[in-house]
Amino acid sequence: MTRITAWRRHPLARYAVLILALALVGMVYATFVQVSRPADAALASGKVDDVAEGRSLFAAHCSSCHGLNAQGTPTGPTLVGVGAAAVDFQMSTGRMPAANPSAQVPRKPLPEWVDEKAIRQIGAYVQSLGGGPQVPGKEHVDPKLGDAGKGGELFRANCIQCHNWAGAGGALTRGKYAPDLNNASPTQIYEAMVTGPQAMPVFNDSTITPEEKRNMIAYITQVREQKDPGGFGLGRIGPVTEGLVAWVVGIFALVLAAIWITAKKRQK
């Protein structure tokens, strides 16, 4: 007992206890993480077997840019922690696999091997690597369940600077641009908000709640059906095109008027 008491009073005893406690916490955390990864993958994909299939597809089609373990390379970022939602967004829009990496990867038709099953399997594999945002359920993206009026207020406060009021997109710096939202599905819009692809910031649930995201989706889809005053929206790009058209039409009208006036004087 004397030795134990002496050890407990030793100046280094408190540090030894702290190190031991940290080691125990680390072991417990690692155990829970390893247990939860298959559960996360199963929840994201619907089948735990999709993880193995997704790993094979990833090695064949994605590892050349993102690395065999999705750790990232000079030509592609790491995918650890991005979640199944990022995979679903990038692949369902045809942005990935990227044919020609550049400042902005455009939306394009899907390759022949990419379908819903392949996207789900690769998403399950990426989800198993470190968690992350998962593919939203139908109740989170259904425009009929959202309030377009409230969604419009949120959209104008957070998105109009890049995507313009109608979601028609716009130019950014260094060759980047905010894409047109007219071709995006409600699920893709939600996934873009929670994953922040390319130049877009991440709007997590603490910044914009799932209900508010659904309201914004309701607004974006409703704007597509609105009729443009005058019958011609000019691409809905905004006052730049409207001013250009007004200037060109106005100048052309003045030229015609000048020609008509001078021709009338010559006839006299």
Side-chain angles (χ1 to χ4, degrees), residues 149-229:
K150 294 181 180 179
E153 294 177 1
L154 289 167
F155 187 86
R156 287 187 289 272
N158 297 280
C159 313
I160 193 174
Q161 298 88 343
C162 298
H163 292 283
N164 100 359
W165 69 272
L172 300 176
T173 58
R174 305 190 180 206
K176 298 180 181 179
Y177 58 88
D180 186 352
L181 301 181
N182 289 320
N183 295 323
S185 69
T187 299
Q188 291 168 351
I189 295 172
Y190 191 102
E191 290 169 341
M193 284 191 277
V194 297
T195 61
Q198 300 184 135
M200 182 172 174
V202 175
F203 296 100
N204 55 36
D205 291 346
S206 61
T207 304
I208 298 179
T209 65
E211 181 181 358
E212 291 174 335
K213 290 183 176 71
R214 187 172 57 195
N215 292 339
M216 294 173 70
I217 291 172
Y219 169 77
I220 294 169
T221 55
Q222 185 185 84
V223 166
R224 299 172 183 172
E225 302 173 359
Q226 290 181 355
K227 295 182 179 180
D228 298 303

Side-chain angles (χ1 to χ4, degrees), residues 27-265:
M27 292 173 61
V28 172
Y29 175 78
T31 301
F32 276 102
V33 168
Q34 291 175 0
V35 171
S36 65
R37 283 180 180 175
D40 289 343
L43 183 59
S45 65
K47 292 195 305 181
V48 178
D49 293 341
D50 283 344
V51 177
E53 295 293 334
R55 183 184 294 108
S56 299
L57 288 171
F58 186 91
H61 301 284
C62 312
S63 61
S64 58
C65 291
H66 296 286
L68 286 174
N69 298 313
Q71 76 278 9
T73 68
T75 57
T78 178
L79 299 183
V80 177
V82 301
V87 175
D88 187 75
F89 173 82
Q90 296 289 351
M91 294 188 67
S92 66
T93 59
R95 290 179 168 86
M96 293 292 152
N100 183 24
S102 57
Q104 185 90 9
V105 181
R107 188 185 186 106
K108 62 182 184 297
L110 303 183
E112 293 183 359
W113 67 272
V114 176
D115 54 18
E116 291 184 5
K117 182 179 180 181
I119 295 173
R120 186 188 71 242
Q121 291 173 339
I122 294 179
Y125 169 64
V126 172
Q127 185 76 28
S128 71
L129 297 177
Q134 298 183 13
V135 178
K138 293 182 179 179
E139 69 278 5
H140 292 104
V141 300
D142 189 351
K144 296 179 181 179
L145 301 178
D147 187 325
K150 294 181 180 179
E153 294 177 1
L154 289 167
F155 187 86
R156 287 187 289 272
N158 297 280
C159 313
I160 193 174
Q161 298 88 343
C162 298
H163 292 283
N164 100 359
W165 69 272
L172 300 176
T173 58
R174 305 190 180 206
K176 298 180 181 179
Y177 58 88
D180 186 352
L181 301 181
N182 289 320
N183 295 323
S185 69
T187 299
Q188 291 168 351
I189 295 172
Y190 191 102
E191 290 169 341
M193 284 191 277
V194 297
T195 61
Q198 300 184 135
M200 182 172 174
V202 175
F203 296 100
N204 55 36
D205 291 346
S206 61
T207 304
I208 298 179
T209 65
E211 181 181 358
E212 291 174 335
K213 290 183 176 71
R214 187 172 57 195
N215 292 339
M216 294 173 70
I217 291 172
Y219 169 77
I220 294 169
T221 55
Q222 185 185 84
V223 166
R224 299 172 183 172
E225 302 173 359
Q226 290 181 355
K227 295 182 179 180
D228 298 303
F232 189 41
L234 301 176
R236 290 187 166 186
I237 297 176
V240 174
T241 53
E242 294 169 0
L244 178 62
V245 171
W247 188 83
V248 172
V249 172
I251 292 296
F252 186 70
L254 290 174
V255 171
L256 290 179
I259 293 174
W260 179 75
I261 292 172
T262 55
K264 195 172 182 180
K265 287 184 176 180

Side-chain angles (χ1 to χ4, degrees), residues 3-17:
R3 291 184 179 180
I4 296 176
T5 303
W7 181 84
R8 289 173 58 186
R9 293 178 178 177
H10 194 279
L12 298 178
R14 66 183 67 180
Y15 299 106
V17 172

